[in-house]
Amino acid sequence: MEKYIIHGGVRLEGSVKISGSKNAALPIFAATLLTDEEVILKNVPQLSDTQTMTLLLRSLGKKVSWDTGSPGRVIIQPELKAGLVVNTKASYEIVKRMRASICVLGPLLTRYSKAEVSLPGGCAFGPRPVDLHISGLRALGADVKLIHGNIVAEAKGLLKNSATGLRRLRGGHVPVMQGRISSVLATDNILSAAVLAEGETCIENAAREPETEDLVNFLKHIGAEITQEIEDPHKEDLFHEGKSISIQRLRVKGVSKLHGGEYTIIPDRIEAGSFMSFAAITGGKLLIQNCEPKHLHAVIQIFEELGLSIQQKSSNELLVKTAGKRLKRLKRLKGIEVSTGPYPLFPTDMQALLMAVAVLAEGDTILEESIYSSRFNHVGELERLGASITLEGNKAYIHGVSALEGARVMASDLRAGAALVAASLAASGKSELRRVYHIKRGYENLLGKLKKLGAKIVLEDG
Ligand code: UD1
């Protein structure tokens, strides 16, 4: 099995180009099932999750071609000209590898009147229910059952789609996320189903993450009718009491057919945030290019509190540097207190990466995980490198240490793996990081990008 060997203590310096967003690309790939016309996607990151999604779409009757002459350009066409689908069952073999496979549920159901998707796997950091996906699709008139570990859904409405002759879902009020944490992929599924449903759908407390916004923009681009309404935060039952996050309602007017088009995926904000962590922890200086600064507000704010200097150099470039030279300067960083939350709050996908940096900050840091209360698999591994962390429920108390030492560690999920890369880059001596397949799920050419910045990191077998 592949592992990274990292010799830490090198200050990273140079420029790094951020790839397209994995979490935006996956639901958009799935949404191409909604049309029989050709879709060309650009800025698609080449990583194992997008490869898995490619396999999944191919198994469902799409021809997916990665343009070898133009990296990140993917052409998606129907296999069968008549608009027939090879099958509407997403197999366990593919779905178990990646949770985002569940994104094909809504598109298949609304386009072909039925769908069967195995309950998804993905990063294992505690319970990850799918009740919101199911209740949301039921609100659109679908009959949804769980049979032998599969979600089996069927459109039961009497109305037929004039373009396909198949039964349609019916638009309706979808209040399932009201008063709860809005779910990103459930929003994506319900939205993708609603665009071809009969009549109007109103999704309350829809996710506001930039990746869902990208799906909205893609769907509009291929002919969907969607309007976004932002609610005054004080009128609604808020998940984050006292925090002024506004709530989004999505209104969808169903159409009978969507067309093709060419669309560019947004930059990956979590990859950009990861490189901020790598800069912070190595006392480095990085020009982060091809990023979208406005998606990174909360992350920038917290890293600035940690003592990083972050300057916007152009509309898509950030210059990130620490106040002084090398790791010792991290001792000057102040202790902080952060809670993860739905966008625009600090993202849960950055929690482990922030923790790695906080491990070397002066004083104590308190990190609260509000989205996945047990997403702390990285804690034990960071401790192997010399971190001092106490866990109490969904809070981690990080007691800053002055140095880390290389050790043998293991990635337990994607972002935990990235956090261990960060910590190993700062640790003295050699670290061995196993199970890098988790990291390869979500980072395009991480090794190459880090090497270009001076990191001493190699991939080995064994
Ligand atoms: C997406 C991201 C993941 C990120 C997460 C939160 C993708 C491919 N993955 O995952 O990287 O960490 O958003 O920003 O985009 N929940 C329910 N019932 C459901 C669905 C979710 O209770 O049916 C809960 C979850 O347990 C969690 C919260 O809702 O507490 C948010 O999870 P959700 O937004 O659904 O995460 P994903 O969309 O799976």
Side-chain angles (χ1 to χ4, degrees):
M1 216 179 275
E2 288 179 332
K3 60 187 178 190
Y4 288 153
I5 306 293
I6 301 173
H7 288 273
V10 180
R11 178 175 183 257
L12 299 193
E13 192 159 358
S15 60
V16 59
K17 283 197 172 65
I18 297 306
S19 301
S21 161
K22 164 183 93 75
N23 286 355
L26 297 174
I28 291 177
F29 260 60
T32 65
L33 288 163
L34 294 165
T35 175
D36 291 335
E37 294 183 21
E38 178 181 273
V39 173
I40 296 176
L41 298 176
K42 290 171 135 169
N43 204 30
V44 180
Q46 255 180 306
L47 32 86
S48 59
D49 271 10
T50 51
Q51 295 302 336
T52 303
M53 189 51 105
T54 297
L55 291 181
L56 182 56
L57 282 191
R58 283 182 184 150
S59 78
L60 298 171
K62 286 284 188 189
K63 207 170 140 192
V64 184
S65 325
W66 287 73
D67 186 343
T68 46
S70 174
R73 187 168 179 273
V74 181
I75 303 144
I76 304 176
Q77 299 158 316
E79 193 80 64
L80 302 170
K81 284 278 175 277
L84 297 171
V85 74
V86 172
N87 83 74
T88 51
K89 288 185 190 174
S91 82
Y92 172 72
E93 283 314 311
I94 301 179
V95 174
K96 71 174 183 195
R97 297 191 209 167
M98 182 182 73
R99 183 174 168 82
S101 306
I102 200 176
C103 291
V104 299
L105 179 63
L108 282 178
L109 173 64
T110 198
R111 172 65 186 78
Y112 298 103
S113 300
K114 57 181 182 170
E116 192 172 321
V117 179
S118 285
L119 282 166
C123 280
F125 40 72
R128 298 184 71 180
V130 291
D131 58 304
L132 292 170
H133 299 249
I134 293 174
S135 49
L137 294 175
R138 282 187 180 144
L140 299 181
D143 179 44
V144 190
K145 295 192 179 88
L146 284 180
I147 304 175
H148 304 307
N150 298 318
I151 306 167
V152 182
E154 211 176 320
K156 284 289 188 193
L158 291 177
L159 289 161
K160 294 202 171 166
N161 186 312
S162 57
T164 61
L166 296 168
R167 283 190 201 287
R168 270 180 114 170
L169 293 173
R170 52 168 166 70
H173 185 225
V174 187
V176 296
M177 291 184 282
Q178 237 164 358
R180 292 185 60 170
I181 307 172
S182 57
S183 158
V184 176
L185 294 184
T187 300
D188 295 353
N189 248 331
I190 301 163
L191 172 67
S192 300
V195 292
L196 286 180
E198 175 73 32
E200 207 172 292
T201 297
C202 175
I203 308 172
E204 304 286 357
N205 191 23
R208 288 189 58 202
E209 271 64 12
E211 295 77 19
T212 294
E213 180 145 16
D214 209 31
L215 175 66
V216 168
N217 290 334
F218 168 73
L219 290 170
K220 282 185 180 171
H221 186 68
I222 61 167
E225 292 187 28
I226 306 167
T227 47
Q228 292 161 272
E229 291 171 7
I230 304 294
E231 277 286 311
D232 175 346
H234 303 294
K235 278 196 203 156
E236 301 264 347
D237 192 8
L238 267 186
F239 153 63
H240 263 272
E241 225 176 297
K243 295 234 168 109
S244 92
I245 53 168
S246 46
I247 284 177
Q248 172 171 247
R249 173 181 295 132
L250 290 173
R251 283 192 193 279
V252 184
K253 219 166 136 195
V255 295
S256 58
K257 200 170 186 275
L258 294 169
H259 51 75
E262 192 168 308
Y263 189 80
T264 303
I265 305 286
I266 53 167
D268 196 312
R269 64 190 169 112
I270 306 300
E271 190 197 8
S274 303
F275 276 93
M276 282 183 198
S277 301
F278 302 150
I281 206 161
T282 65
K285 181 178 172 189
L286 298 186
L287 182 65
I288 301 181
Q289 299 177 303
N290 291 6
C291 64
E292 180 47 271
K294 74 171 189 276
H295 294 160
L296 286 157
H297 273 314
V299 174
I300 290 175
Q301 193 192 340
I302 297 300
F303 276 109
E304 281 181 341
E305 276 178 44
L306 273 165
L308 270 194
S309 144
I310 303 177
Q311 272 174 279
Q312 186 164 342
K313 284 297 194 189
S314 72
S315 63
N316 66 354
E317 286 181 321
L318 291 170
L319 180 66
V320 179
K321 56 184 179 189
T322 40
K325 282 185 188 170
R326 302 197 64 125
L327 290 172
K328 62 181 182 184
R329 293 295 179 190
L330 282 172
K331 286 187 197 166
R332 287 190 183 173
L333 303 177
K334 293 185 300 230
I336 49 158
E337 187 152 348
V338 186
S339 174
T340 61
Y343 188 81
L345 302 178
F346 192 82
T348 171
D349 285 351
M350 281 296 300
Q351 180 254 109
L353 282 140
L354 177 63
M355 186 183 292
V357 178
V359 154
L360 282 167
E362 196 172 79
D364 286 358
T365 301
I366 306 169
L367 284 186
E368 184 186 38
E369 177 51 67
S370 299
I371 304 291
Y372 298 110
S373 53
S374 49
R375 189 177 194 172
F376 287 119
N377 288 336
H378 41 284
V379 168
E381 298 303 295
L382 287 171
E383 283 176 330
R384 295 169 70 82
L385 294 161
S388 168
I389 302 163
T390 314
L391 274 183
E392 266 177 41
N394 70 337
K395 288 198 185 72
Y397 295 84
I398 301 134
H399 319 291
V401 295
S402 55
L404 294 175
E405 267 182 41
R408 294 172 74 167
V409 287
M410 197 167 70
S412 52
D413 63 66
L414 167 57
R415 305 304 170 185
L420 291 168
V421 169
S424 304
L425 288 170
S428 61
K430 176 179 159 183
S431 291
E432 216 177 282
L433 172 51
R434 289 174 184 269
R435 300 204 180 163
V436 297
Y437 59 84
H438 284 296
I439 301 170
K440 288 181 157 187
R441 283 189 42 214
Y443 289 90
E444 181 177 67
N445 188 23
L446 182 63
L447 201 80
K449 290 183 185 185
L450 283 172
K451 274 185 176 169
K452 188 181 154 239
L453 301 174
K456 289 191 179 155
I457 177 168
V458 289
L459 185 70
E460 275 186 9
D461 261 330

